């Protein structure tokens, strides 16, 4: 490739290594972030994106189920949780959970994404009964359920080994796990935003155990709050190392911090440029995670569409009536709050890519023609 594409000589130097498929270092990640050559960064990420997926862009049809918003963790970035002595708390009973699953099924969803608060007033059987009942009625609905933080909480609170927790949930119907709760691994920063939460090493350890049990998981990074660029690149390197060890991450999702209603509401959140850079740096650093998701719910549709040119190859799902957790961080522009399948297909086509409807495990279900 001609180096003339790059204004920044650091990127021109990196281009050869990216084309040769060489692994980038921590310092490379910092250099990418510090560069103001946005086109150059995007171009590098696009080389890798096209090598892995060509023009395919994935989405699925899914629905969220957030069983309870009671949570003791008190994370500063979260506007969803309430404590047991506060108003506004809820816990869905089994019938309500089944109703949401039924609606999802009727709307053509192939996946139910289940996450909730760390509720100290529920028995473990609440969760296994919920999974069992949903699976009994909808055996084909993929249950992407519980973050590593929830699994860690279950093991501690119900006094079981990690393996026992994973096995019991799997037997009840858990098919894979979502990527939440990773936030930012760097210890000092994590301490500032989520003191009471599972620490980064434990999050990674639990992922390894789920992978070894044969289940896939996703991974996330919450950015745009009080973290540094070094914290972000450290997060990506630690995920890459865990993937080398256990290999079960199928998708990475950078989550743009949305401040309203949180204890960090005085912060501005990340800019659009920062989000595009983060997408590209994630694609370039995570050479062993196949899929990078531009989560349109948090980025907004327009930025998510642009992110497809910055390394992303997945837009997540259509949201047909969101769960309560997701609604707490939906971007302000209300027209961005829903997307039909047709709209997602059009967003992908307009950006110059080929829409592919997938299941949770990235098996193609239906491919649509390019524009
Ligand atoms: O862990 C919480 C984040 C995560 C805010 O695996 C916030 O496919 C921004 O992990 N602003 C949960 N982010 C959501 C999540 C997820 C979403 C979509 C797909 C998948 C997947 C996973 O949301 C939390 C936290 O990092 N979060 N509050 C906020 N105010």
């Amino acid at each position: 490739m001609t180096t003339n594409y790059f204004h920044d000589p650091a990127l021109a130097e990196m281009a050869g290594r990216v084309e040769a498929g060489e692994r980038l270092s921590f310092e490379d990640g910092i250099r990418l972030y510090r560069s103001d050559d946005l086109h150059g960064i995007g171009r590098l990420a696009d080389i890798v994106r096209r090598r892995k997926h060509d023009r395919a862009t994935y989405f699925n049809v899914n629905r969220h189920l957030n069983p309870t918003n009671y949570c003791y963790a008190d994370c500063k970035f979260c506007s969803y949780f309430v404590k047991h002595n506060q108003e506004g708390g809820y816990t869905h009973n089994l019938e309500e959970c089944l109703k949401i699953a039924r609606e999802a099924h009727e709307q053509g969803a192939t996946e139910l994404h289940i996450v909730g608060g760390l509720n100290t007033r529920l028995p473990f059987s609440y969760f296994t009964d919920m999974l069992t009942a949903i699976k009994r009625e909808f055996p084909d609905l993929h249950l992407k359920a519980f973050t590593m933080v929830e699994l860690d909480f279950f093991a501690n609170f119900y006094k079981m080994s990690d393996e026992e927790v994973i096995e019991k949930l799997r037997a009840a119907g858990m098919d894979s796990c979502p990527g939440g709760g990773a936030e930012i691994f760097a210890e000092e920063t994590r301490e500032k935003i989520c003191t009471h939460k599972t620490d980064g090493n434990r999050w990674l350890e639990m992922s390894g155990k789920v992978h070894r049990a044969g289940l896939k998981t996703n991974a996330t990074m919450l950015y745009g709050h009080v973290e540094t660029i070094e914290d972000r690149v450290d997060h990506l390197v630690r995920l890459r190392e865990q993937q080398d060890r256990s290999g079960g991450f199928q998708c990475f999702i950078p989550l743009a911090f949305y401040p309203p209603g949180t204890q960090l509401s005085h912060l501005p959140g990340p800019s659009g440029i920062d989000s595009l850079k983060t997408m590209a740096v994630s694609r370039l650093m995570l050479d062993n995670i196949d899929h990078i998701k531009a989560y349109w719910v948090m980025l907004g549709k327009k930025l998510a569409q642009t992110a497809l040119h910055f390394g992303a190859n997945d837009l997540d799902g259509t949201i047909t009536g969101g769960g309560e957790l997701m609604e707490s961080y939906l971007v302000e522009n209300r027209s961005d709050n829903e997307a039909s399948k047709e709209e997602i297909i059009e967003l992908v086509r307009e950006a110059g890519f080929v829409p592919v409807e997938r299941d949770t495990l990235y098996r193609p279900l239906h491919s649509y023609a390019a524009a």
Side-chain angles (χ1 to χ4, degrees):
M1 169 188 283
T2 165
T3 52
N4 295 342
Y5 284 119
F6 302 99
H7 307 303
D8 180 347
L11 298 194
E13 185 276 320
M14 241 180 267
R17 290 189 282 131
V18 169
E19 285 200 317
E22 279 177 36
R23 180 163 275 196
L24 298 182
S25 65
F26 176 87
E27 290 72 25
D28 289 329
I30 300 292
R31 251 177 244 132
L32 284 164
Y33 258 123
R34 298 242 182 274
S35 175
D36 60 3
D37 186 353
L38 188 66
H39 276 124
I41 298 166
R43 181 149 195 99
L44 287 181
D46 195 53
I47 292 171
V48 182
R49 187 252 200 252
R50 286 187 189 252
R51 184 165 63 218
K52 280 183 187 268
H53 305 288
D54 197 5
R55 294 167 70 211
T57 294
Y58 294 92
F59 68 95
N60 71 348
V61 181
N62 67 351
R63 164 111 198 215
H64 290 232
L65 163 58
N66 305 129
T68 179
N69 66 345
Y70 286 111
C71 187
Y72 80 84
D74 198 7
C75 299
K76 291 201 164 46
F77 54 79
C78 181
S79 59
Y80 163 71
F81 79 92
V82 302
K83 295 201 165 169
H84 277 292
N85 53 4
Q86 289 175 330
E87 280 182 16
Y90 72 86
T91 298
H92 290 315
N93 63 28
L94 192 57
E95 207 28 65
E96 288 164 343
C97 292
L98 270 171
K99 183 168 172 275
I100 291 169
R102 213 167 283 138
E103 282 167 11
H105 183 73
E106 278 160 15
Q107 288 157 341
T110 58
E111 167 190 296
L112 201 57
H113 179 158
I114 307 174
V115 284
L118 309 178
N119 186 332
T120 51
R121 297 200 184 159
L122 293 172
F124 187 59
S125 57
Y126 170 85
F127 300 99
T128 47
D129 288 352
M130 172 179 72
L131 296 177
T132 308
I134 297 174
K135 266 289 170 201
R136 190 181 305 125
E137 199 168 324
F138 307 105
D140 295 336
L141 195 57
H142 182 108
L143 303 184
K144 184 174 82 178
F146 310 121
T147 66
M148 300 308 109
V149 171
E150 288 165 283
L151 298 185
D152 175 44
F153 169 74
F154 294 157
N156 290 331
F157 192 69
Y158 302 115
K159 304 206 179 341
M160 285 187 276
S161 71
D162 299 340
E163 288 73 14
E164 220 178 322
V165 169
I166 295 165
E167 211 31 64
K168 282 186 182 341
L169 292 173
R170 193 238 287 265
M174 177 175 82
D175 293 306
S176 70
C177 299
E183 320 313 355
I184 201 85
F185 295 142
E187 282 72 15
E188 265 181 44
T189 307
R190 195 174 182 88
E191 188 66 27
K192 285 184 199 151
I193 59 166
C194 49
T195 322
H196 307 295
K197 201 169 208 161
T198 312
D199 70 30
N201 285 333
R202 176 76 176 131
W203 189 97
L204 290 163
E205 180 192 26
M206 187 62 92
S207 304
K209 290 188 177 182
V210 177
H211 297 167
R212 273 185 282 280
L215 298 182
K216 300 287 185 197
T217 71
N218 292 340
T220 56
M221 172 175 76
L222 183 68
Y223 68 96
H225 42 91
V226 299
E227 86 289 2
T228 62
I229 298 303
E230 285 75 11
D231 291 341
R232 296 185 193 178
V233 179
D234 166 74
H235 189 95
L236 297 175
V237 169
R238 282 160 84 164
L239 274 176
R240 185 168 79 182
E241 288 170 352
Q242 181 60 47
Q243 181 75 335
D244 281 342
R245 288 191 290 272
S246 57
F249 293 121
Q250 54 177 0
C251 171
F252 175 72
I253 310 127
L255 295 171
F257 174 51
Y258 181 63
T262 73
Q263 294 170 61
L264 300 172
S265 61
H266 54 286
L267 297 176
S271 67
I273 299 290
D274 192 12
S275 288
L276 293 178
K277 273 190 182 178
T278 300
M279 200 62 69
V281 178
S282 304
R283 167 60 79 195
L284 287 162
M285 294 301 294
L286 296 173
D287 57 0
N288 54 2
I289 299 185
D290 280 345
H291 303 285
I292 306 288
K293 188 184 283 186
Y295 188 39
W296 67 263
V297 173
M298 284 181 186
L299 290 176
K301 287 173 193 157
K302 293 173 188 171
L303 200 55
Q305 190 183 30
T306 313
L308 299 178
H309 288 276
F310 284 75
N313 69 299
D314 187 14
L315 284 182
D316 196 71
T318 59
I319 310 291
T320 43
E324 295 82 352
L325 168 60
M326 202 189 55
E327 284 179 356
S328 74
Y329 46 56
L330 275 170
V331 288
E332 265 165 319
N333 175 0
R334 302 303 297 179
S335 68
D336 255 338
N337 289 0
E338 282 189 3
S340 64
K341 192 157 140 176
E342 291 66 35
E343 195 178 354
I344 297 231
I345 289 169
E346 213 30 60
L347 286 173
V348 174
R349 279 184 173 150
E350 196 207 1
F353 293 92
V354 178
V356 181
E357 185 182 343
R358 61 166 174 86
D359 68 7
T360 308
L361 301 175
Y362 285 87
R363 289 175 297 215
L365 298 177
H366 189 45
S367 204
Y368 298 84

